[in-house]
Amino acid sequence: MRMTTSSSVGAGLVVLVATVCLLLPAATRAQLQVGFYNTSCPNAEALVRQAVAAAFANNSGIAAGLIRLHFHDCFVRGCDASVLLSVNPGGGKTEREAPPNNPSLRGFEVVDAAKAAIERSCPRTVSCADILAFAARDSVNLTGNVFYQVPAGRRDGNVSKEGDALKNLPGPNNTATGLIDGFAAKNLTAEEMVVLSGSHTIGRSHCDSFLFKNRERLANGTISPAYQALLEALCPPTTNQFTPNTTEIDLSTPTVLDNNYYKLLPLNLGLHFSDDQLIRNATTAPNVAAFAANETLWKEKFISAMIKMGRIEVNTGAQGEVRLNCSIVNAPSSSTGIEMLLPGTSDDRADEVATS
């Protein structure tokens, strides 16, 4: 399948990103900025890119994992890296232990590698939430051959609860109406929901996410019988949350971020019930048809939606902290004194720690 090159959409993306920024309220635009670390840590994005590229060279599937990791972070408590926490200071299980995330989420080690490299270069400066947003962007670039600028300035949260993930994350068994409502709760439109669902064109899914619901689809005639037979052969009859068996979500081009996902849906080859729902709903079906017919259109809208998603309920300024280790919150003596540098401030402040 033909891939869209960066040159074919580059000019449009520049205009698109500028338009998105202009449409945002002035207060929101001031919170996150492209080039936020230009002065305080000018090589931050390059170090993240290097970590992602190294992991991708070893396993191309990590790109889908990082995009999903960013999505699952932003939909729960906003884009604050709460999904990366392995310990909840308040007690109880964390987001990453919740069934929608465990054991399917991956990419944590890539974020950790990028964070370690950045800490060596610019200590106490770059948030884990921004690293995750950069890593997702770089994954889009590696699989879709398009690049976009990521507004930064997020701060890391210090709460991560399993219940929040269960409440906020859209699931593979959601109806179209449920998906629309869930995305609307995060200020994303029905079209943006369909756009972001297109990230399913890369990556894999565990048997527990599709097998049993697809038996209902088979009875209703909304999944190819041959496809379901392949899935039944792949998955053991004792399938559960921790069954390791997986399959590609996009049968044809599973490692390329393209519009093939939308082309498979009318053929009854959507892997999840939620994927299939997009063509069964009067609001979303026209979007599927439009994106199946025009890959450039979808990529432009995908980038816009990724940028908008990356702004969900962010911590900025004095809110939150800049974690020293992405999987645990800072010790009290550290978290009270780490300040995220504002654009244009001196590098001399990078190591400042309050003495209070």
Side-chain angles (χ1 to χ4, degrees):
M1 179 172 289
R2 176 188 61 80
M3 281 189 60
T4 302
T5 63
S6 55
S7 60
S8 64
V9 297
L13 295 182
V14 171
V15 174
L16 175 67
V17 172
T19 301
V20 169
C21 291
L22 287 173
L23 290 175
L24 291 166
T28 302
R29 293 202 305 269
Q31 291 178 346
L32 299 182
Q33 298 184 30
V34 171
F36 186 89
Y37 298 107
N38 282 353
T39 299
S40 61
C41 190
N43 60 346
E45 295 190 42
L47 290 172
V48 175
R49 193 172 304 119
Q50 289 170 14
V52 173
F56 183 81
N58 184 57
N59 176 10
S60 62
I62 198 64
L66 288 166
I67 294 171
R68 184 169 182 255
L69 195 59
H70 181 44
F71 174 87
H72 280 225
D73 179 41
C74 290
F75 261 63
V76 183
R77 307 188 70 87
C79 308
D80 67 345
S82 56
V83 74
L84 303 179
L85 289 174
S86 60
V87 178
N88 180 15
K93 292 184 177 181
T94 62
E95 292 172 32
R96 63 193 284 179
E97 295 176 279
N101 294 332
N102 182 28
S104 59
L105 275 191
R106 53 182 172 159
F108 297 101
E109 72 285 355
V110 182
V111 176
D112 288 341
K115 178 63 171 175
I118 289 174
E119 284 299 308
R120 288 191 294 269
S121 179
C122 315
R124 304 169 180 265
T125 303
V126 182
S127 69
C128 298
D130 279 341
I131 290 172
L132 186 49
F134 294 147
R137 181 269 311 280
D138 296 334
S139 297
V140 171
N141 179 234
L142 286 167
T143 54
N145 202 25
V146 291
F147 183 84
Y148 58 97
Q149 297 289 347
V150 172
R154 300 167 187 79
R155 301 267 289 186
D156 299 323
N158 53 16
V159 176
S160 182
K161 297 180 180 179
E162 177 189 33
D164 290 338
L166 293 171
K167 178 182 177 181
N168 288 280
L169 288 174
N173 295 330
N174 277 161
T175 63
T177 299
L179 291 170
I180 291 170
D181 291 344
F183 276 68
K186 304 301 177 183
N187 197 34
L188 293 166
T189 67
E191 181 187 61
E192 287 166 337
M193 180 273 288
V194 179
V195 167
L196 290 169
S197 295
S199 64
H200 283 184
T201 193
I202 56 175
R204 306 180 67 86
S205 183
H206 285 70
C207 287
D208 190 50
S209 295
F210 56 80
L211 183 65
F212 304 112
K213 193 67 175 179
N214 283 357
R215 290 173 181 168
E216 296 179 17
R217 291 175 59 197
L218 183 64
N220 295 331
T222 59
I223 189 172
S224 160
Y227 187 29
Q228 178 63 10
L230 288 174
L231 299 177
E232 293 280 0
L234 167 73
C235 301
T238 55
T239 288
N240 60 45
Q241 176 187 345
F242 296 101
T243 298
N245 304 47
T246 63
T247 188
E248 297 91 349
I249 304 176
D250 178 341
L251 287 171
S252 302
T253 57
T255 61
V256 180
L257 192 75
D258 57 20
N259 67 337
N260 197 58
Y261 165 82
Y262 300 104
K263 297 179 180 180
L264 293 173
L265 299 183
L267 302 177
N268 288 341
L269 294 174
L271 179 62
H272 304 105
F273 175 80
S274 58
D275 296 322
D276 180 72
Q277 278 286 290
L278 302 185
I279 60 168
R280 312 294 172 188
N281 180 276
T283 298
T284 59
N287 298 136
V288 172
F291 300 145
N294 191 331
E295 183 173 293
T296 298
L297 173 67
W298 171 67
K299 284 190 172 180
E300 290 176 347
K301 288 183 176 290
F302 182 73
I303 289 171
S304 176
M306 286 290 288
I307 293 171
K308 183 176 177 180
M309 185 187 75
R311 294 181 178 273
I312 294 175
E313 301 167 18
V314 294
N315 294 321
T316 58
Q319 299 170 323
E321 63 184 16
V322 176
R323 275 184 229 142
L324 305 181
N325 180 329
C326 290
S327 63
I328 57 175
V329 299
N330 295 335
S333 59
S334 298
S335 61
T336 56
I338 298 174
E339 297 184 35
M340 180 173 284
L341 300 184
L342 297 175
T345 57
S346 170
D347 286 344
D348 294 340
R349 296 182 57 212
D351 295 324
E352 272 191 12
V353 178
T355 57
S356 59

